[in-house]
């Protein structure tokens, strides 16, 4: 390597030499690195091939022709390097041999202000990782590469939710919390290959793109390594600070054909991993459908409370001799689009275990009891018993009916007070203990 070639290659500027056929003859190391291509992939190829025909015809060709005519050209323009567009200062100089312009020497670099703007646009200010916008750009590019490739078809998106960070911020302050967030990102970065990407997606959620994975199960292996590395405790002032995580995984093309679908399904897998308290979880269509059904049902129930669609019905409880010992208050859903009595198929893990929902049902039942037994009335009055007996008579001869419940079961299930019964949110059922009825 001669001295001139050495100087050109150590320069941080992007330096190229283009002949009159608009073909690259010389490119330096900085240019190749920024383009993400080897020297052999650029030399002897045309400017149109490298930058695209549209870019070449609309701007680059005009500037090159001006330079071949003897003019120096200087301008600023945006160029796409890999997945990002950058503002570049570009200078064209005529290159002469024997007083004839045979080539154009092109010098370009990213200005200081433009470089800072690019970082602000595509980097997270706290962690220095790529940000959410970068994820959109890079994932689009990786999907396009996968579509064109004959062999490297698989890509994986991992969503990593860091747990305990809110508690760390509360106990040790946001400065320590930010340091742990940044260091967790670095731990993930060191777990992956140089061809993979790490992002800060939002809040305490990080994301990663795995490129060129051989098979689906590889994503799970990487996720387990990430989990193990993130979980290593941090030592701070003789105290161990533990950060754990949950990871959701979606695969291209198995789980979707576009960026939005893959991101949404990785987020869905993450939510399910949190719910099941699993280290990591690959997206599963059936689990996703259950989650959608669960969310839809919760929304419908909330609206049902607002619109008064739940109705309270009483069912007498009798012993094997046909004597009335109490009543069950059953909540029935008068759904606007389904007939009363419809059996609803609930997701396997569906529970109305939120305190707010439980309280609303509890209040609804209390209000229903008050309507049946107004305040100030005695439960042994002539108003309560006839109403219950009327309900029993509607289902036929009570002395020949069996409800599959013994008196002991009824009394164990019944509530000592007319207005008590905290497990209603689990079984949609209320037991009412009545005093002994007259024979």
């Amino acid at each position: 390597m001669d001295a001139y070639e050495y100087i050109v290659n150590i320069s941080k500027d992007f330096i190229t030499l283009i002949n009159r056929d608009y073909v690259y003859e010389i490119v330096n190391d900085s240019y190749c690195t920024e383009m993400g291509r080897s020297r052999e992939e650029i030399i002897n190829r045309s400017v149109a091939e490298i930058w695209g025909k549209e870019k070449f015809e609309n701007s680059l060709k005009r500037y090159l022709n001006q330079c071949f005519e003897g003019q120096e050209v200087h301008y600023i323009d945006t160029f796409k390097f890999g997945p990002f567009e950058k503002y570049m200062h570009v200078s064209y100089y005529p290159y002469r041999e024997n007083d004839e312009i045979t080539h154009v020497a092109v010098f370009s670099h990213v200005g200081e202000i433009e470089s800072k703007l690019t970082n602000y646009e595509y980097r997270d200010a706290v962690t220095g990782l790529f940000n959410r916008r970068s994820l959109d750009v890079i994932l689009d590019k990786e999907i396009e590469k996968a579509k064109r490739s004959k062999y490297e078809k698989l890509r994986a998106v991992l969503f990593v939710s860091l747990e305990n960070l809110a508690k760390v911020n509360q106990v040790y302050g946001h400065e320590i919390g930010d340091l742990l967030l940044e260091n967790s990102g670095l731990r993930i970065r060191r777990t992956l290959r140089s061809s993979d990407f790490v992002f800060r997606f939002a809040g305490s959620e990080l994301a990663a793109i795995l490129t060129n994975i051989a098979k689906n199960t590889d994503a799970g292996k990487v996720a387990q390594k990430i989990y193990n590395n993130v979980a290593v405790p941090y030592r701070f002032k003789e105290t161990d600070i533990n950060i754990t995580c949950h990871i959701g995984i979606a695969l291209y093309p198995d789980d979707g054909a576009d960026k939005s679908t893959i991101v949404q399904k990785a987020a869905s897998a993450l939510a399910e991993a949190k719910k099941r308290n699993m280290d990591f979880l690959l997206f599963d269509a059936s689990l996703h459908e259950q989650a959608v059904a669960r969310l839809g049902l919760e929304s419908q129930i909330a609206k049902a409370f607002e619109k008064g669609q739940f109705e309270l019905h009483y069912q007498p409880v009798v012993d094997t001799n046909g004597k009335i010992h109490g009543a069950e208050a059953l909540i029935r859903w008068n759904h606007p689009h389904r007939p009363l009595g419809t059996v609803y198929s609930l997701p396997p893990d569906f529970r109305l275990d939120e305190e707010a929902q439980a309280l609303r049902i509890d209040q609804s039942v209390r209000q229903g009891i008050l309507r049946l037994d107004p305040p100030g009335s005695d439960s042994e009055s002539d108003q309560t018993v006839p109403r219950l007996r009327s309900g029993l008579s509607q289902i036929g001869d009570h002395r020949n009916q069996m409800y599959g419940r013994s008196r002991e079961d009824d009394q164990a299930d019944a509530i000592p007070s007319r207005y008590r019964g905290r497990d209603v949110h689990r079984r949609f059922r209320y037991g009412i203990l009545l005093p002994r009825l007259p024979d």
Side-chain angles (χ1 to χ4, degrees), residues 118-387:
T118 299
N119 274 333
Y120 282 128
E121 192 173 4
Y122 293 104
R123 294 276 182 178
D124 174 62
V126 175
T127 63
L129 298 172
F130 286 126
N131 59 18
R132 185 169 181 172
R133 181 172 183 180
S134 299
L135 174 64
D136 291 341
V137 174
I138 293 175
L139 185 54
D140 262 340
K141 182 176 177 62
E142 285 300 319
I143 289 176
E144 286 303 313
K145 286 171 65 176
K147 288 178 180 178
R148 293 195 302 266
S149 175
K150 290 183 179 179
Y151 306 106
E152 299 171 350
K153 293 290 189 183
L154 280 176
R155 298 292 188 275
V157 173
L158 282 64
F159 271 25
V160 184
S161 177
L162 302 176
E163 310 302 332
N164 309 335
L165 272 182
K167 187 175 180 181
V168 170
N169 289 333
Q170 182 181 6
V171 175
Y172 300 101
H174 284 272
E175 184 177 354
I176 298 300
D178 288 346
L179 285 173
L180 297 188
L181 175 62
E182 179 183 1
N183 202 266
S184 296
L186 292 175
R187 286 182 176 185
I188 296 173
R189 173 71 271 176
R190 289 195 294 267
T191 305
L192 307 181
R193 301 165 303 178
S194 59
S195 60
D196 299 327
F197 301 90
V198 182
F199 312 83
R200 185 184 182 188
F201 189 75
S204 60
E205 286 188 8
L206 305 178
I209 296 176
L210 308 184
T211 63
N212 305 332
I213 57 175
K215 52 186 183 294
N216 299 9
T217 52
D218 288 348
K221 294 177 182 178
V222 173
Q224 189 63 63
K225 290 180 181 178
I226 290 174
Y227 179 88
N228 294 340
N229 289 340
V230 168
V232 175
Y234 293 92
R235 192 71 176 171
F236 178 71
K237 293 183 179 181
E238 300 183 355
T239 302
D240 285 339
I241 301 178
N242 296 294
I243 302 293
T244 60
C245 68
H246 296 98
I247 304 171
I249 307 168
L251 299 168
Y252 171 86
D254 296 16
D255 298 323
D258 59 83
K259 170 192 64 183
S260 298
T261 303
I262 296 298
V263 167
Q264 178 257 317
K265 291 186 176 179
S268 175
L270 173 61
E272 199 66 33
K274 285 183 176 183
K275 188 166 182 283
R276 295 167 179 261
N277 196 28
M278 299 176 68
D279 298 352
F280 68 90
L281 185 67
L282 278 80
F283 176 80
D284 180 272
S286 62
L287 291 179
H288 179 68
E289 289 173 3
Q290 289 178 17
V292 171
R294 183 168 58 244
L295 287 173
L297 187 57
E298 288 175 0
S299 175
Q300 289 184 52
I301 288 174
K303 290 180 180 178
F305 278 116
E306 294 173 3
K307 297 181 178 180
Q309 293 173 0
F310 288 119
E311 296 179 354
L312 192 63
H313 295 261
Y314 291 95
Q315 177 173 295
V317 176
V318 298
D319 63 13
T320 54
N321 296 318
K323 289 186 177 181
I324 300 173
H325 293 277
E328 288 181 337
L330 307 176
I331 298 177
R332 291 181 178 174
W333 189 351
N334 188 11
H335 197 285
H337 305 300
R338 299 181 184 180
L340 196 64
T342 298
V343 177
Y344 293 89
S345 178
L346 301 179
D349 57 351
F350 184 79
R351 296 287 186 277
L352 275 177
D353 52 6
E354 293 294 333
E355 185 64 24
Q357 296 284 51
L359 182 61
R360 294 178 81 174
I361 293 178
D362 188 62
Q363 290 173 340
S364 297
V365 173
R366 288 169 186 256
Q367 292 168 4
I369 292 173
L370 291 174
R371 283 196 298 270
L372 180 66
D373 189 9
S377 68
D378 186 88
S379 60
E380 294 184 0
S381 70
D382 292 338
Q383 295 184 17
T384 302
V385 174
R387 288 176 184 266

